[in-house]
Amino acid sequence: MFILFIFCSSINLVDWLQNHLISCPFKALTGIDCPGCGFQRSFIALVQGDLSKSWSLYPPTIPLLLLFIAVGLFYKFQINQRHLLSKILIIAVGNFVMVSYLYRVFIR
């Protein structure tokens, strides 16, 4: 019964998310994709369980979500060297976002 409730709730969540996407102000002003364009659609595909579609829409989605979870856990459990680990992860994921963006802008 609980699994059915979660399944029905996720369907409603996905429908709500698809109907309430936020438009990108940077793209609206310049006509150029920003480094975050595609995250919302990629997240929705990920929630629906379509990993390949999520990756094709915006590759940094999974690393960004893992970064948020990791940094949250670092601070919740008072991990030693959490500041250093957080900085390393932020730099790594930031570089991944920029490489993905540059690939999308210049190669695709």
Side-chain angles (χ1 to χ4, degrees), residues 68-82:
F68 296 143
I69 291 168
V71 170
L73 291 174
F74 291 163
Y75 284 92
K76 173 138 178 83
F77 295 112
Q78 300 297 320
I79 305 243
N80 292 338
Q81 302 294 326
R82 67 180 178 266

Side-chain angles (χ1 to χ4, degrees), residues 1-75:
M1 185 70 176
F2 181 70
I3 294 173
L4 181 64
F5 174 73
I6 296 296
F7 177 73
C8 291
S9 297
S10 69
I11 290 174
N12 291 333
L13 173 68
V14 170
D15 288 339
W16 186 87
L17 287 172
Q18 288 176 335
N19 293 326
H20 293 88
L21 292 174
I22 301 169
S23 63
C24 177
F26 183 81
K27 187 171 184 173
L29 291 173
T30 64
I32 303 168
D33 285 347
C34 74
C37 280
F39 179 80
Q40 294 176 95
R41 291 176 285 126
S42 177
F43 180 75
I44 290 170
L46 191 62
V47 168
Q48 290 174 330
D50 194 349
L51 207 57
S52 64
K53 183 179 178 184
S54 175
W55 182 265
S56 67
L57 289 170
Y58 187 67
T61 299
I62 296 170
L64 280 168
L65 293 174
L66 292 175
L67 170 70
F68 296 143
I69 291 168
V71 170
L73 291 174
F74 291 163
Y75 284 92

